[in-house]
Amino acid sequence: MLASITQYFSASSMETFISDLRPTLSEPARILTPSDPDFSAANERWSDIDRKTPAVIVQPACENDIVKMVQAAHAAKVPFIPTTGGHSSWSTIDNGMVIDLSHFKDVTVDTNQHFVTVRGGVLMKELQIALSEKNQFTTVANGSTVGVIPYMIGGGISSYTPLIGYACENILSARIVVASGDIVVASEAKNSDLLWAIRGAGQFFGLVTELVLRTHDPSLMGPDGVRQLGNIFFPPERASEVCSVLRDVVSANDHASAGHFMAMNDPSKGRILMVAAQYFGTDSELQATYQPVIDLGPLNHFHEPSTFEKHSDHLAWMCPKGEFKRFSQTGLASINPENFGRLVDLHRELLETLPGTERSVFTIEWHTKTPSDGPRKTETSFGLKNIDTWLNILTWYTDPALHEKVLQFDKRAQEIMRSDTEENAFVSYTNTSRSDPIEHRYKDAAAVRKLKELKQIWDSEGCFTEEFL
């Protein structure tokens, strides 16, 4: 039962729970309470916003440990949450139990069958390294410390979406601990409806311990298995002008590409705009495609090749744990230059009125259309796979007194970028928002009805949140 269930326990009750749990676990498994010296480090998260203090952190060493932990928590009605990379807003809990998967992880690559098996708390960079060693790739996030499994089952927005779809479209099978405490295998041949639910809403149906993912040959990315990264810089006052040309370039491009148009602050140069293009082809093709943007006369521009292993290295500065960070993703109908100009003005207002927010970044992310064949044929519960443009808001600060004020800027950013959209067409990404209406996160009404039916079958008591009940 996750953090949506609010039940508090006396210290003696929790001590009894822990003492009963301990002998059921494997010898390498760890149980940490606030008095243990390793507890504080284990409770660190990517963001300290709403960071809570659990009564106990358990670190399974094998899948059977996870089974025993879920069974014990369910029997004793102890609320619990799993955590992998600690990026999720829902991976923290007061008084209950955190199942920390960081000590149970494994990656096995099958190059002959083109799939990879990911277990437990594997992080994105670990998956990239393992696949690169076998000359394979799959969809990954932009944060190297993001947990692979929670990212995949929540949908998985990726720079590789124009090539191979969203992450959930590459899930072949799963092992999941359901509310009964049993391990269930979900595949096309067995429990296929549950597999469908896991592909986009898996966090609401159980604790996924293992995923088998489709992998691909790096030659899809371009010659020698590399993609091209273009970096084009402009002053903020040219936001709408550049965005207008960029929109035309993206809409006219029928070759796979993705990228970000970012309003950010450079410590040495101040506020700046950056077009960070990712092109799956040759360097000359990249330059030809984005020449209209370069013709605008940027402050600077350069391009460079990048391998799958180094996919997210340039964003490592965003990954340290601690301080106050919030990341939200909102689907957009299109790239609107006027709205983006207003967004850049809002970014300036944030930095000028709230000192300490200089590392905040406001971004439009785009993908060219995913081919209709290949992974896109995979049936998923993810209701947003036709969304190709996203608003990404990273707010980052150090003063807890700014919580509410910074949150208002996040909300204003969404209002600006949604100003040309009817409310019934609003899109929110479930991996970064669970407070928005379910209709914003799952756009297919028939899929929502099916998810509700499956929730009654697999988790009718809301052990894994009350979503879809």
Side-chain angles (χ1 to χ4, degrees), residues 250-267:
V250 172
S251 61
N253 182 26
D254 58 1
H255 190 86
S257 67
H260 299 78
F261 192 13
M262 310 164 70
M264 57 191 299
N265 185 69
D266 185 295

Side-chain angles (χ1 to χ4, degrees), residues 292-433:
V293 180
I294 297 172
D295 287 343
L296 293 173
L299 298 171
N300 186 24
H301 70 92
F302 64 92
H303 66 277
E304 57 188 346
S306 176
T307 63
F308 175 71
E309 181 180 343
K310 296 181 178 180
H311 165 76
S312 55
D313 287 6
H314 62 293
L315 296 174
W317 66 275
M318 294 183 179
C319 293
K321 293 183 177 182
E323 300 186 334
F324 303 109
K325 313 182 195 79
R326 179 180 287 107
F327 184 66
S328 64
Q329 293 183 279
T330 303
L332 303 176
S334 62
I335 298 175
N336 184 313
E338 181 181 351
N339 288 352
F340 185 70
R342 294 168 58 201
L343 182 73
V344 173
D345 289 341
L346 183 68
H347 183 261
R348 171 187 52 78
E349 182 184 342
L350 170 67
L351 271 56
E352 290 179 352
T353 59
L354 299 180
T357 60
E358 291 79 11
R359 288 171 290 180
S360 300
V361 183
F362 291 4
T363 304
I364 290 178
E365 177 178 354
W366 76 87
H367 311 132
T368 53
K369 292 291 183 182
T370 305
S372 58
D373 56 354
R376 183 44 50 102
K377 291 183 176 180
T378 303
E379 294 188 5
T380 75
S381 60
F382 184 54
L384 310 177
K385 63 182 182 180
N386 293 318
I387 305 299
D388 297 311
T389 310
W390 295 88
L391 168 66
N392 299 343
I393 299 296
L394 169 66
T395 51
W396 190 343
Y397 52 101
T398 56
D399 183 357
L402 297 181
H403 283 337
E404 188 56 36
K405 292 180 179 179
V406 173
L407 179 59
Q408 291 307 310
F409 274 91
D410 191 318
K411 292 180 178 179
R412 287 172 61 192
Q414 294 183 48
E415 290 171 358
I416 287 171
M417 298 305 288
R418 284 172 162 171
S419 62
D420 58 350
T421 305
E422 296 293 331
E423 185 173 351
N424 62 4
F426 282 2
V427 172
S428 301
Y429 183 38
T430 193
N431 267 359
T432 62
S433 174

Side-chain angles (χ1 to χ4, degrees), residues 41 43-52 83 85-92 320-323 325:
N43 198 39
E44 290 179 350
R45 301 174 61 249
W46 176 71
S47 174
D48 286 338
I49 295 177
D50 295 329
R51 181 163 68 96
K52 301 174 175 63
T83 185
H87 283 251
S88 169
S89 301
W90 307 281
S91 61
T92 184
K321 293 183 177 182
E323 300 186 334
K325 313 182 195 79

Side-chain angles (χ1 to χ4, degrees), residues 49-117:
I49 295 177
D50 295 329
R51 181 163 68 96
K52 301 174 175 63
T53 302
V56 59
I57 298 174
V58 291
Q59 296 175 329
C62 61
E63 186 179 68
N64 190 59
D65 286 338
I66 300 173
V67 170
K68 296 300 184 184
M69 292 167 181
V70 171
Q71 289 175 341
H74 194 208
K77 301 189 183 305
V78 172
F80 68 91
I81 54 94
T83 185
T84 302
H87 283 251
S88 169
S89 301
W90 307 281
S91 61
T92 184
I93 190 172
D94 270 330
N95 192 58
M97 178 175 72
V98 169
I99 301 178
D100 173 10
L101 298 170
S102 63
H103 288 228
F104 166 57
K105 59 174 68 178
D106 182 66
V107 179
T108 304
V109 183
D110 188 322
T111 55
N112 293 326
Q113 300 295 320
H114 288 282
F115 66 76
V116 58
T117 303

Side-chain angles (χ1 to χ4, degrees), residues 27-335:
E27 185 175 348
R30 305 180 73 200
I31 297 179
L32 304 175
T33 62
S35 62
D36 288 301
D38 294 335
F39 181 89
S40 293
N43 198 39
E44 290 179 350
R45 301 174 61 249
W46 176 71
S47 174
D48 286 338
I49 295 177
D50 295 329
R51 181 163 68 96
K52 301 174 175 63
T53 302
V56 59
I57 298 174
V58 291
Q59 296 175 329
C62 61
E63 186 179 68
N64 190 59
D65 286 338
I66 300 173
V67 170
K68 296 300 184 184
M69 292 167 181
V70 171
Q71 289 175 341
H74 194 208
K77 301 189 183 305
V78 172
F80 68 91
I81 54 94
T83 185
T84 302
H87 283 251
S88 169
S89 301
W90 307 281
S91 61
T92 184
I93 190 172
D94 270 330
N95 192 58
M97 178 175 72
V98 169
I99 301 178
D100 173 10
L101 298 170
S102 63
H103 288 228
F104 166 57
K105 59 174 68 178
D106 182 66
V107 179
T108 304
V109 183
D110 188 322
T111 55
N112 293 326
Q113 300 295 320
H114 288 282
F115 66 76
V116 58
T117 303
V118 179
R119 298 179 183 88
V122 175
L123 303 181
M124 212 59 64
K125 182 65 174 181
E126 294 167 337
L127 176 61
Q128 290 168 218
I129 292 172
L131 286 178
S132 295
E133 290 175 348
K134 300 294 185 179
N135 198 35
Q136 297 286 289
F137 84 103
T138 193
T139 43
V140 291
N142 287 326
S144 60
T145 57
V146 171
V148 172
I149 288 179
Y151 161 80
M152 297 278 176
I153 64 178
I157 301 170
S158 176
S159 299
Y160 299 99
T161 295
L163 289 177
I164 55 175
Y166 283 110
C168 62
E169 294 177 290
N170 289 276
I171 296 174
L172 299 176
S173 67
R175 290 174 64 86
I176 181 171
V177 182
V178 295
S180 64
D182 297 319
I183 284 281
V184 174
V185 175
S187 67
E188 294 289 359
K190 189 175 183 179
N191 299 309
S192 58
D193 279 351
L194 180 59
L195 176 65
W196 173 85
I198 288 170
R199 293 171 171 159
Q203 62 272 44
F204 306 124
F205 288 85
L207 198 164
V208 177
T209 63
E210 175 183 300
L211 289 179
V212 177
L213 306 170
R214 184 184 291 111
T215 63
H216 307 267
D217 192 294
S219 62
L220 280 176
M221 291 190 284
D224 301 318
V226 300
R227 61 189 175 128
Q228 304 298 323
L229 305 183
N231 302 276
I232 314 172
F233 300 89
F234 292 92
E237 57 268 19
R238 300 188 66 185
S240 295
E241 173 195 9
V242 176
C243 191
S244 180
V245 174
L246 180 64
R247 176 194 58 190
D248 294 342
V249 167
V250 172
S251 61
N253 182 26
D254 58 1
H255 190 86
S257 67
H260 299 78
F261 192 13
M262 310 164 70
M264 57 191 299
N265 185 69
D266 185 295
S268 61
K269 300 176 182 178
R271 293 175 52 248
I272 198 167
L273 300 179
M274 177 181 179
V275 177
Q278 304 182 43
Y279 191 86
F280 301 103
T282 66
D283 58 351
S284 59
E285 290 171 334
L286 167 73
Q287 291 186 76
T289 298
Y290 288 93
Q291 191 61 47
V293 180
I294 297 172
D295 287 343
L296 293 173
L299 298 171
N300 186 24
H301 70 92
F302 64 92
H303 66 277
E304 57 188 346
S306 176
T307 63
F308 175 71
E309 181 180 343
K310 296 181 178 180
H311 165 76
S312 55
D313 287 6
H314 62 293
L315 296 174
W317 66 275
M318 294 183 179
C319 293
K321 293 183 177 182
E323 300 186 334
F324 303 109
K325 313 182 195 79
R326 179 180 287 107
F327 184 66
S328 64
Q329 293 183 279
T330 303
L332 303 176
S334 62
I335 298 175

